């Protein structure tokens, strides 16, 4: 049964029905409070005794064991005798409270505040309003007797400061939304209880002014000035002084509607940008590509516009004959990419050529960061272009070489954002043979860790999407589920709608793996809907027919129902022989098999080789069966197609067994 803990007020705990649990006396609650403050770290018994008693009694250890035993019975009343506790655990010479972060109100409050760090006013006002509602009183309100203890004093002060900041941020957001009057009561109470907080005074005066109460705003500012001088002996800070001057002269920017409209803020910002930069072409180019980078993750129309304007910006930079500028304009567009087929192959080739020209033009021995970004661009934009056969010279193909060089430079420079971009290129070129899901999982793991540590949200989403793909290929759907859930949270919090396309398709793959044929087909129909208007033709074309075919093959359904004339997109050459063979057109199927080349080395590599293998077995083409076997052997422990995170044809081992049987 779930147990939730509260310290934002009196220390308490509730069961899953929301009923308060009986925690006995103050020492019991003190033990619980001390373990919560430890944040899932072990607190040795000796430390507990020192923190709970100014002079620990001789029986302190025995008393603590009694308190812990009582707490365990209160927290887990249904636990059977001799069954290990689930929440309050003995570890070594101490105790630890093992609970999820969301089950302690203080931890949940911190997460909520942190998650809104970059949010707009509407989300801040709503999110902080909910989070502040979790406070039932002062933190650890029932521990006045322990107020001088360092462990409690510092934690209480930290939480109190976080709450005060949240009240100020919520008030600021309400003012920005044109709801200044709503902010006044909370701010008035805040300056009464905490009169040294200048920002609270400033916000209160601004809220009053924007509520049409100019005289009250001036009165508040004068009260703040008098209080600061009389009680603290300091003059008001520059922001308070400037606000008083602005109120007296009724400055235009204090207009009550100034912050009420996102559209107005945008218009004012773009107008300021236009008037400030004028004809400064170089700065405008770099800024434009930065804007395109942000636009690319907003959805279909934004992604298509970003691609179009990016090419124009790069072409304009090259016309200025400034390689350093061109390098910056190309490199700043570090939009994470997870799908291994280009949406616009011709544009991708043009960008690769431009990046290569710029690399040759840069002064040797300089501009390492720019070189790394250009090389990463080559690797990312060359997705799916590795040669189907290894070069006779044995040298790595240029895209693979570029990816390795970009990563080496980024690691040497110790630049987190640069390394994340370089690892994206490494991922795009990690398909030089079948069976590399574990390698891609390691890349995704590093991207997630790097991004989470440095606040690179979009790359954290990329890393988790890569891990969804890899864990699917390795038949670890439980891990894939966790990453899909994390992607959903990040995408909602940071407004990244394109991420949901991949999680929707993953859910369809999961249904295809564990559900009925009908359920799988319905799930893929829904997934196909998420692609409409998403601006990703490299992903969309041919995917739904391919998914339907894979479902039918997984359930060993008859060939009826497959539309041979559907738009199979880029998969058509490798699907056609199987469709012909299952339609009884054996000679045509054999001819189609002999005419095709090896599939592209990308996320669909193993899946397409499995389709080729099925067709080869159906028509008795031993040469093609042998080729398919050679290509698929390195992936013998993986799930065919599942590395895409979109479709599945079942274990590669099953296809290898069918090939081996046919080749006997």
């Amino acid at each position: 049964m779930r147990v939730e803990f509260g310290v934002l007020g009196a220390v308490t705990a509730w069961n899953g029905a929301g009923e308060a649990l009986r925690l006995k006396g103050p020492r019991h609650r003190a033990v619980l409070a001390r373990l919560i403050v430890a944040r899932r770290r072990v607190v040795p018994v000796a430390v507990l005794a020192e923190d709970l008693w100014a002079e620990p009694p001789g029986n302190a250890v025995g008393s603590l064991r009694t308190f812990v035993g009582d707490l365990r019975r209160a927290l887990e009343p249904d636990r059977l005798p001799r069954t290990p506790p689930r929440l309050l655990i003995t570890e070594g010479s101490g105790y630890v409270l093992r609970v999820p972060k969301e089950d302690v109100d203080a931890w949940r409050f911190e997460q909520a505040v942190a998650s809104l760090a970059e949010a707009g006013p509407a989300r801040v006002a709503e999110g902080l309003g909910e989070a502040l509602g979790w406070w039932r009183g002062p933190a650890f309100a029932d521990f006045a007797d322990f107020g001088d203890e360092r462990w409690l004093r510092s934690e209480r002060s930290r939480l109190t400061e976080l709450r005060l900041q949240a009240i100020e941020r919520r008030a600021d957001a309400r003012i920005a939304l044109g709801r200044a009057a709503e902010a006044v009561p909370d701010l008035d109470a805040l300056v009464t209880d905490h009169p040294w907080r200048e920002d609270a005074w400033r916000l209160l005066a601004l809220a009053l002014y924007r509520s049409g109460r100019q005289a009250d705003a001036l009165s508040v500012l004068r009260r703040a000035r008098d209080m600061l001088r009389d009680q603290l002996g300091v003059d008001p800070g520059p922001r308070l002084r400037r606000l008083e001057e602005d109120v007296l002269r009724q400055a235009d920017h204090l207009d009550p509607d100034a912050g009420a409209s996102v559209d107005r803020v945008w218009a004012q910002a773009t107008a300021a940008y236009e008037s400030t930069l004028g004809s400064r072409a170089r700065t405008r180019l770099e800024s434009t590509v930065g804007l395109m980078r942000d636009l690319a993750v907003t959805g279909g129309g934004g992604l298509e516009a970003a691609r179009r304007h990016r090419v124009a910006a790069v072409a304009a930079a090259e016309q200025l004959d400034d390689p350093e500028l061109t390098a910056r304009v190309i490199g700043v567009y570090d939009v994470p990419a997870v799908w291994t087929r280009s949406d616009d192959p011709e544009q991708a080739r043009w960008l690769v050529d431009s990046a290569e020209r710029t690399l040759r033009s840069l002064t040797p021995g300089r501009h390492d960061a720019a070189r790394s970004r250009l090389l990463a661009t080559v690797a990312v934009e060359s997705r799916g272009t590795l040669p189907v056969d290894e070069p006779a010279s044995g040298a790595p193909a240029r895209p693979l070489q570029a990816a390795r060089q970009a990563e080496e430079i980024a690691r040497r420079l110790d630049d987190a954002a640069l390394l994340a971009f370089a690892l994206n290129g490494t991922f795009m070129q990690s398909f030089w043979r079948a069976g590399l899901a574990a390698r891609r999982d390691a890349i995704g793991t590093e991207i997630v860790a790097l991004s989470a540590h440095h606040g690179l949200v979009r790359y954290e989403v990329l890393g988790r999407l890569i891990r969804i793909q890899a864990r699917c290929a390795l038949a670890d759907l439980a891990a894939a589920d966790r990453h899909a859930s994390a992607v959903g949270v990040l995408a909602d919090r940071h407004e990244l709608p394109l991420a949901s396309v991949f999680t929707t398709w993953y859910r369809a793959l999961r249904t295809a793996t564990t559900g009925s044929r009908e359920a799988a087909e319905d799930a893929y129909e829904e997934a196909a809907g998420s692609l409409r208007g998403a601006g990703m033709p490299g992903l969309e074309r041919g995917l739904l027919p391919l998914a339907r075919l894979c479902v039918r093959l997984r359930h060993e359904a008859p060939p009826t129902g497959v539309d041979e004339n559907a738009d199979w997109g880029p998969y058509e050459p490798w699907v056609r022989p199987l469709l012909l063979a299952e339609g009884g057109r054996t000679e045509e199927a054999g001819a189609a098999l002999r005419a095709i080349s090896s599939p592209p080395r990308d996320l669909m590599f193993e899946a397409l080789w499995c389709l080729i293998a099925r067709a080869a077995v159906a028509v008795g083409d031993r040469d093609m069966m042998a080729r398919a076997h050679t290509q698929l052997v390195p992936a013998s422990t993986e799930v065919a197609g599942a590395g895409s995170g979109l479709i599945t044809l079942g274990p590669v081992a099953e296809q290898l067994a069918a090939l081996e049987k046919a080749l006997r």
Side-chain angles (χ1 to χ4, degrees):
M1 181 176 65
R2 181 181 181 185
V3 178
E4 295 185 75
F5 300 87
V7 297
L8 302 181
V11 174
T12 190
W14 303 275
N15 62 20
E19 301 164 336
L21 301 177
R22 294 176 61 86
L23 300 179
K24 289 201 170 182
R27 295 289 176 187
H28 294 78
R29 292 195 302 279
V31 170
L32 183 59
R34 182 64 183 88
L35 295 177
I36 290 174
V37 169
R39 292 175 172 270
R40 299 191 292 186
R41 294 189 294 271
V42 175
V43 181
V45 170
V47 173
L48 266 176
E50 291 177 2
D51 286 345
L52 266 62
W53 286 282
E55 295 183 8
N59 66 339
V61 173
S63 297
L64 282 172
R65 286 175 179 159
T66 300
F67 298 153
V68 168
D70 291 342
L71 282 171
R72 283 171 172 165
R73 283 188 288 275
L75 298 177
E76 300 182 66
D78 298 328
R79 183 167 58 89
L80 298 175
R82 298 196 181 97
T83 303
R86 180 175 58 88
L87 299 174
L88 207 169
I89 299 168
T90 302
E91 193 166 307
S93 61
Y95 300 106
V96 61
L97 192 66
R98 299 286 191 199
V99 295
K101 289 184 177 180
E102 60 270 18
D103 287 351
V104 177
D105 59 1
W107 302 349
R108 192 166 66 246
F109 180 74
E110 292 170 357
Q111 285 184 307
V113 172
S115 71
L116 297 166
E118 298 180 3
R123 288 184 58 212
V124 168
E126 180 182 359
L128 290 184
E130 178 184 1
L132 287 165
W134 302 333
W135 285 75
R136 297 166 285 111
F140 303 93
D142 49 349
F143 282 99
D145 293 341
F146 293 86
D148 292 332
E149 296 297 332
R150 178 180 53 81
W151 66 269
L152 182 59
R153 184 175 63 250
S154 59
E155 180 68 0
R156 177 184 284 164
S157 298
R158 190 183 65 81
L159 288 171
T160 300
E161 175 60 23
L162 195 63
R163 174 177 173 269
L164 298 180
Q165 291 177 6
I167 292 172
E168 290 171 353
R169 283 192 63 204
R170 179 180 62 174
D172 198 12
R174 285 173 168 173
I175 293 169
L177 292 167
R179 294 155 46 191
E182 294 179 28
V184 171
D186 288 340
L187 290 170
D188 200 13
L190 184 57
V191 298
T192 300
D193 295 337
H194 305 277
W196 56 87
R197 298 186 73 87
E198 286 195 41
D199 230 26
W201 286 106
R202 181 186 63 81
L203 288 167
L204 176 57
L206 182 59
L208 288 166
Y209 184 87
R210 291 197 175 173
S211 301
R213 299 166 61 182
Q214 181 180 355
D216 289 338
L218 283 171
S219 176
V220 161
L221 290 166
R222 287 162 184 161
R223 278 171 52 206
R225 183 178 63 237
D226 293 343
M227 185 279 304
L228 291 169
R229 285 177 178 171
D230 295 345
Q231 297 188 27
L232 301 180
V234 298
D235 289 326
R239 298 181 78 188
L240 268 180
R241 295 198 305 271
R242 188 163 54 248
L243 179 59
E244 185 171 8
E245 294 169 1
D246 290 344
V247 169
L248 284 168
R249 64 185 178 87
Q250 298 182 342
D252 289 342
H253 68 84
L254 294 183
D255 173 33
D257 295 328
S261 168
V262 172
D263 291 338
R264 179 177 297 182
V265 171
W266 176 260
Q268 291 172 346
T270 52
Y273 178 93
E274 186 72 24
S275 62
T276 301
L277 291 183
S279 59
R280 290 158 57 182
R282 286 166 169 76
T283 304
R284 289 165 67 90
L285 272 177
E286 291 185 62
S287 300
T288 298
V289 179
L291 179 61
M292 292 306 106
R293 175 183 57 192
D294 295 335
L295 186 62
V297 298
T298 61
L303 180 57
E304 292 170 350
R307 283 199 298 265
R308 184 171 64 254
H309 293 302
R310 179 193 182 193
V311 168
V314 173
E318 283 197 289
Q319 289 175 6
L320 293 172
D321 197 25
D322 184 342
E324 294 179 28
L325 171 66
T326 305
R328 292 196 299 272
V329 170
I330 294 174
V332 76
Y333 191 91
D334 54 354
V335 177
V338 71
W339 190 240
T340 49
R341 285 183 183 271
S342 175
D343 293 318
D344 190 334
E346 183 176 349
Q347 182 191 92
R349 283 191 295 271
W350 186 91
L351 286 166
V352 167
D353 290 342
S354 179
E356 295 281 19
R357 285 194 300 272
T358 306
L359 278 166
R360 292 191 295 269
S361 300
L362 289 176
T363 305
R366 297 178 57 194
H367 314 296
D368 279 356
R371 289 182 184 278
S372 180
R373 286 190 172 276
L374 289 169
L375 288 163
T377 299
V378 170
V380 171
E381 295 297 337
S382 297
R383 67 189 84 179
T385 64
L386 283 174
V388 294
D389 299 306
E390 288 294 326
S393 64
R398 174 55 179 166
L400 186 56
Q401 181 188 62
R404 292 171 179 172
Q405 290 174 346
E407 185 179 337
E408 186 275 328
I409 294 172
R411 292 190 187 280
R412 176 161 46 83
L413 295 177
D414 196 24
D415 184 325
L418 188 60
L419 180 56
F421 187 28
L423 287 170
N424 197 172
T426 300
F427 161 74
M428 282 296 178
Q429 301 304 327
S430 62
F431 302 87
W432 46 273
R433 68 164 171 82
L436 291 173
R439 166 66 180 142
R440 291 192 286 278
D441 192 44
I443 294 170
T445 300
E446 182 173 6
I447 293 175
V448 169
L450 182 75
S451 303
H453 183 69
H454 293 279
L456 306 173
V457 174
R458 294 171 185 175
Y459 275 100
E460 183 178 352
V461 170
L462 169 69
R464 292 189 182 279
L465 290 175
I466 291 172
R467 295 210 67 191
I468 290 172
Q469 296 170 343
R471 298 321 299 179
C472 285
L474 298 171
D476 185 0
L477 293 182
D481 283 344
R482 291 194 295 272
H483 290 293
S485 177
V487 167
V489 171
L490 289 168
D492 288 342
R493 182 180 301 161
H494 299 280
E495 298 181 332
L496 304 172
L498 292 180
S500 66
V501 171
F502 295 96
T503 53
T504 301
W505 274 88
Y506 163 68
R507 288 193 295 272
L509 179 154
R510 210 185 192 298
T511 303
T513 302
T514 61
S516 66
R517 175 185 170 188
E518 292 74 19
E521 289 176 344
D522 289 343
Y524 276 124
E525 286 291 340
E526 178 185 350
S530 72
L531 273 170
R532 296 187 189 103
M536 295 188 285
L539 176 62
E540 182 178 10
R541 281 201 63 214
L543 187 54
L544 181 57
L546 182 64
R548 288 172 176 154
L549 176 62
C550 291
V551 169
R552 185 174 62 80
L553 294 174
R554 285 278 290 148
H555 288 272
E556 299 180 352
T560 56
V562 173
D563 183 2
E564 182 179 329
N565 298 314
D567 179 8
W568 295 91
Y571 312 111
E572 195 276 340
W574 300 281
V575 171
R576 183 64 54 191
L578 182 61
L579 296 179
L580 292 170
E582 291 196 347
R585 297 153 67 180
T586 305
E587 289 187 8
E588 291 179 62
L593 271 178
R594 291 189 294 274
I596 63 172
S597 60
S598 179
R601 296 179 183 271
D602 61 18
L603 281 164
M604 291 294 192
F605 185 70
E606 292 92 343
L608 296 181
W609 265 115
C610 283
L611 296 179
I612 293 170
R614 284 176 176 268
V617 170
V619 302
D621 187 332
R622 296 181 63 84
D623 288 342
M624 188 59 77
M625 282 189 268
R627 282 182 62 193
H629 189 276
T630 299
Q631 293 291 340
L632 289 171
V633 160
S636 60
T637 61
E638 294 185 11
V639 180
S644 66
L646 312 174
I647 63 169
T648 177
L649 278 163
V652 172
E654 292 180 0
Q655 187 59 63
L656 288 171
L659 286 168
E660 290 161 3
K661 179 180 179 181
L663 285 168
R664 288 187 192 130

